[in-house]
Amino acid sequence: MNSNQQTVAKVMNAVEDHFEDAVARLQAILRVPSISTDPAHVSDVRAAAEWFDREFKSLGFSCEVVDTPGHPVVFAERKAASEDAPTVLYYGHYDVQPADPLDQWNSPPFEPVIVDDANGGRIVARGAVDDKGQVMTFIEAFRAWIDATGEIPVSVKVMLEGEEESGSESLGGFLDAFADRLAADVCVVSDTGMWNGETPAITTMLRGMIYLEAEVRGPGHDLHSGMYGGAIANPANVLARIIASMHRDDGTVAIPNFYDGVEDPPSNILDQWRNLGFDEAGFLASAKISAATGGEAGRTILERTWSRPTLDVNGIHGGYTGAGAKTIIPATCSAKISCRLVPGQDPAKIEATLKTFIEAGLPEGFSVSFISHGLNPAVVVPADSPWLAAATAGLTEAYDTPAAVVGSGGSIPAVGDIQSKLGIDALLVGFSLDDDRIHSPNEKFDLRCLRGGIRSHAGMIGAFASRSGD
Ligand code: BES
Ligand code: MN
Ligand code: MN
């Protein structure tokens, strides 16, 4: 063993020594219901930010909880001893999705439990993997380096956001205001998935997104459906018809100009994806359904989720939704509609064409109002950067199987902003698995992924340190 290998071995021992405490610390922050989209939880979101603030200070970081027009950003810094060390900016989010539907949880969402299973156990709670558990993977790696060697061999900056799950609306302003202080050589993000339980992954494409809520209004108030039905158009029927016309029978989206600018990924990327050996049965099992009939005919599941734009209704509500039967023509009906976007699509143009499409489907006397819940473009990160090579090398300290280079169907609005506003390329290395039930009841994080994630970050820090900052 050379001295580098000895150092990494010492750091890995520290990871193992602290693992039980790391699980306990994760459980502590999972008890804070930091649901960013729900105004009832504003103070819980702040409490979560303050928890991380204390955590960073206890590790010798300087840290502040920075107010924004929305939820605060936690910004922490710790300089390496060596002036030549590169600076790594870590990004994650401490907010979580709402826990609904509550009755489908096997244990309360904000009372984390460890459940034994064939994979060595899992921690179950809202936010377990998205993203508190993954944020802890790099924080625990910092701790292991400090305990084993007295320092972190790269200069570390950390930015934890409290609005990722509700569209990151305040982050752009924060990045503008803090641009100088955020300067770094690379930005590491842990908010994506592994390829499988044994194979880590580096994600090089994320889809973008627009999210629009449309409320269709017809009559001035709810009407008796016997007296008026057949004469006055029904907003629920109208909206349903408009939504149904948004897709063609072959699964393509029928909104005009929707595919403008969309290109297929380069053939070498498509070849890489084909060679990954996608486990379709496992994918279907993770969704508890027997077939993948959504999306465009004639394309593989990976293509459909990683490189094709989509349109989905996330929820429809209107009219009578209580128990039993009530006979009305409702006055209004609403839908929450999102589009996942790929490189080449302009989010603002897609939002505009979707609005026009809905307006064009309204009968005389009807109106529609829109609420925009954010728009962000797709992201591509260079697959050939030296930082990606260093990360790949670092990951071999934690996993025997080399990292897969993958795409992802999810969105992380911050990554596009970090690339465009700060000019820093992102490195997306995450540790979730397909069956983690992200955003669903009984969200979980396998303890093996928590441990592997901490070891991975520990290894990557070592690999980054051997690169210089310029
Ligand atoms: N961590 C996810 C994104 C993700 C999920 C990436 C799975 C890769 C694999 C993130 O927290 C998320 O849920 N993002 C939202 C963004 C939205 C609220 C703007 C999403 O993708 O729906
Ligand atoms: Mn996330
Ligand atoms: Mn999420």
Side-chain angles (χ1 to χ4, degrees):
M1 266 205 221
N2 64 30
S3 73
N4 242 340
Q5 289 168 321
Q6 275 169 3
T7 307
V8 172
K10 270 187 3 200
V11 175
M12 293 304 177
N13 284 339
V15 171
E16 298 307 322
D17 290 346
H18 292 299
F19 190 67
E20 247 177 68
D21 291 342
V23 173
R25 281 186 285 269
L26 174 55
Q27 282 179 289
I29 184 57
L30 288 171
R31 288 194 186 95
V32 184
S34 48
I35 304 167
S36 58
T37 200
D38 184 347
H41 287 278
V42 191
S43 61
D44 293 320
V45 178
R46 180 167 295 272
E50 283 164 358
W51 187 91
F52 280 106
D53 180 59
R54 288 193 297 276
E55 201 63 18
F56 284 117
K57 285 176 176 152
S58 79
L59 286 171
F61 283 65
S62 64
C63 186
E64 49 193 297
V65 175
V66 183
D67 284 332
T68 74
H71 299 295
V73 174
V74 180
F75 179 63
E77 266 184 288
R78 193 182 200 275
K79 271 209 170 357
S82 158
E83 284 289 320
D84 294 337
T87 301
V88 183
L89 171 65
Y90 289 82
Y91 165 86
H93 61 94
Y94 66 84
D95 64 321
V96 300
Q97 287 273 326
D100 323 47
L102 283 176
D103 59 348
Q104 288 180 28
W105 284 80
N106 298 328
S107 52
F110 297 105
E111 292 174 30
V113 289
I114 309 289
V115 179
D116 286 332
D117 61 27
N119 293 318
R122 60 182 189 269
I123 182 161
V124 179
R126 168 59 80 236
V129 65
D130 187 12
D131 186 32
K132 289 171 178 170
Q134 295 201 64
V135 166
M136 292 312 283
T137 60
F138 52 77
I139 295 180
E140 297 297 343
F142 302 153
R143 185 189 314 277
W145 269 96
I146 294 167
D147 279 8
T149 71
E151 67 148 356
I152 309 174
V154 297
S155 285
V156 173
K157 298 182 181 182
V158 186
M159 170 171 72
L160 301 183
E161 191 197 349
E163 291 183 358
E164 198 277 342
E165 298 291 11
S166 50
S168 296
E169 271 161 294
S170 306
L171 193 75
F174 174 81
L175 294 178
D176 289 335
F178 272 65
D180 292 346
R181 293 178 66 187
L182 291 165
D185 296 296
V186 64
C187 176
V188 174
V189 178
S190 276
D191 195 23
T192 51
M194 296 179 62
W195 175 244
N196 59 38
E198 292 78 44
T199 316
I202 300 181
T203 299
T204 61
M205 290 166 99
L206 288 171
R207 289 194 292 187
M209 154 141 127
I210 63 147
Y211 197 122
L212 196 65
E213 189 166 341
E215 184 181 50
V216 168
R217 269 184 249 104
H221 49 82
D222 291 359
L223 304 172
H224 189 288
S225 61
M227 291 169 66
Y228 294 94
I232 306 298
N234 178 325
N237 298 26
V238 165
L239 184 55
R241 183 172 46 71
I242 295 172
I243 288 170
S245 65
M246 288 177 179
H247 287 93
R248 302 186 187 91
D249 287 348
D250 63 2
T252 55
V253 174
I255 313 284
N257 306 108
F258 188 76
Y259 293 98
D260 283 4
V262 172
E263 284 175 20
D264 283 328
S267 59
N268 64 321
I269 294 277
L270 286 174
D271 283 346
Q272 274 183 23
W273 292 357
R274 272 181 213 112
N275 291 333
L276 285 169
F278 179 62
D279 172 13
E280 182 167 343
F283 177 79
L284 293 174
S286 74
K288 294 209 163 62
I289 181 140
S290 59
T293 60
E296 295 172 88
R299 294 185 185 263
T300 66
I301 291 180
L302 289 188
E303 265 183 89
R304 272 142 66 197
T305 56
W306 290 358
S307 69
R308 298 297 297 170
T310 53
L311 181 151
D312 280 289
V313 176
N314 300 264
I316 306 184
H317 66 280
Y320 182 66
T321 56
K326 181 184 185 215
T327 49
I328 54 158
I329 293 181
T332 67
C333 186
S334 304
K336 294 175 187 279
I337 302 170
S338 63
C339 297
R340 298 281 168 176
L341 309 178
V342 302
Q345 285 180 299
D346 177 343
K349 283 191 182 157
I350 298 292
E351 190 185 75
T353 185
L354 175 58
K355 283 182 178 174
T356 307
F357 184 89
I358 296 171
E359 281 161 351
L362 298 178
E364 189 185 335
F366 271 54
S367 62
V368 59
S369 57
F370 297 109
I371 303 171
S372 170
H373 293 288
L375 49 176
N376 63 278
V379 165
V380 186
V381 296
D384 54 0
S385 88
W387 296 105
L388 192 140
T392 306
L395 285 165
T396 64
E397 304 286 351
Y399 289 99
D400 294 333
T401 321
V405 176
V406 302
S408 170
S411 311
I412 309 173
V415 177
D417 283 345
I418 290 167
Q419 295 201 151
S420 64
K421 287 181 184 282
L422 304 180
I424 310 174
D425 273 325
L427 196 49
L428 309 170
V429 189
F431 302 96
S432 77
L433 298 177
D434 279 350
D435 68 356
D436 279 349
R437 301 174 188 244
I438 292 182
H439 295 196
S440 305
N442 305 308
E443 177 180 347
K444 59 92 173 165
F445 194 19
D446 282 8
L447 294 178
R448 60 180 172 152
C449 295
L450 175 63
R451 172 184 265 116
I454 301 170
R455 295 176 66 95
S456 295
H457 279 295
M460 286 190 283
I461 288 168
F464 294 150
S466 36
R467 289 188 48 78
S468 89
D470 32 51

